[in-house]
Amino acid sequence: MSYFYRRPRAAGAAAGRKAEALNDALQALRGPFIVADLETTGLSTATCEILEFAAVRVGAAGALEREYTQVVRTRGPVPSFITRLTGITQAEVDRHGVPVTQAFSSFLDFVEDLPVFFHNASFDRRFLGAAADQTGMPFSNPTHCTLALARRAWPELPSHKLEILARHVGASNPTHRALADVRTTVAVALAAGSLLGVGAG
C-alpha cells in the first residue's frame, strides 16, 4: 500500500521540478542570455571530442549582440561521417582549429555568467562537463533546454527536432554547423518564449 502512496509524491515532485525549470527558462529569456551549440566527433564523451563551439549573446530586447565560433583541433582524426554531417573537414581542423583548452577558455569568456540555452541541453552539458574535467576550467552557468521549451510551446508537433521547429517558426534551416544551428535555436527560443508569455508584463 505504501508503494501507491509514494508514486504520486514522486510524480508530483517531478512535475514541480519541470514547472520550476520552465519558469526559470522563461525568466532567463528576458535577457541577456546565451544560446550555444557544440559539434562533436560522436555521441560518447568517453571516446569522442568537441569539434566546434558556437554561441550567440542575445540582448534583453531579443537582438543578437555578439557571436562566437571556433573549430577545435581534435586529438583524433575527424570521422568521415561527421564531415558528411557537418561539413567540417580534417583540412579545416588542421588549418583553423585550436586546442580544446584554448577554445573552451574563449567560450567561457564569451558566455560570462549568463544563462545558456542549448537544444537538447543534456547532450551539450555532458560534453562541456568532460571539457571542464579535462581542462580544469569549470562550466557553472545555469543552463536551459530549448527542446523542453518547444515541447511545451508546440505540443501538437509530431517532432521537435531543430529542422522541424525551424520550418514551424520560419527560421533558417539548421545545417549541423554550430553557429548556423545556434542562430536557428535563437529564433526557436524567442518564438517559444513569446508564445509562453515572456515579455507579457
Side-chain angles (χ1 to χ4, degrees), residues 31-158:
F33 61 91
I34 301 291
V35 178
D37 185 45
L38 307 176
E39 298 301 335
T40 66
T41 59
L43 300 179
S44 169
T45 56
T47 57
C48 304
E49 304 175 68
I50 296 174
L51 181 59
E52 186 178 40
F53 289 87
V56 169
R57 179 185 169 115
V58 183
L64 278 59
E65 296 181 339
R66 288 188 291 130
E67 297 179 339
Y68 168 76
T69 183
Q70 179 61 59
V71 173
V72 177
R73 188 180 304 134
T74 53
R75 290 168 295 179
V78 180
S80 58
F81 76 93
I82 292 295
T83 294
R84 290 194 298 271
L85 179 68
T86 66
I88 301 173
T89 64
Q90 187 65 53
E92 181 179 359
V93 166
D94 293 341
R95 188 178 305 115
H96 301 298
V98 301
V100 67
T101 299
Q102 181 181 338
F104 189 44
S105 177
S106 298
F107 174 79
L108 294 176
D109 287 344
F110 182 87
V111 302
E112 300 176 329
D113 60 351
L114 295 174
V116 184
F117 287 80
F118 303 93
H119 200 70
N120 192 17
S122 60
F123 176 85
D124 299 88
R125 279 197 301 255
R126 286 201 309 272
F127 274 90
L128 289 172
D133 291 342
Q134 179 184 343
T135 64
M137 296 181 288
F139 173 75
S140 55
N141 297 52
T143 60
H144 305 286
C145 185
T146 58
L147 178 59
L149 280 176
R151 286 171 172 161
R152 185 63 177 264
W154 302 289
E156 72 280 6
L157 292 180

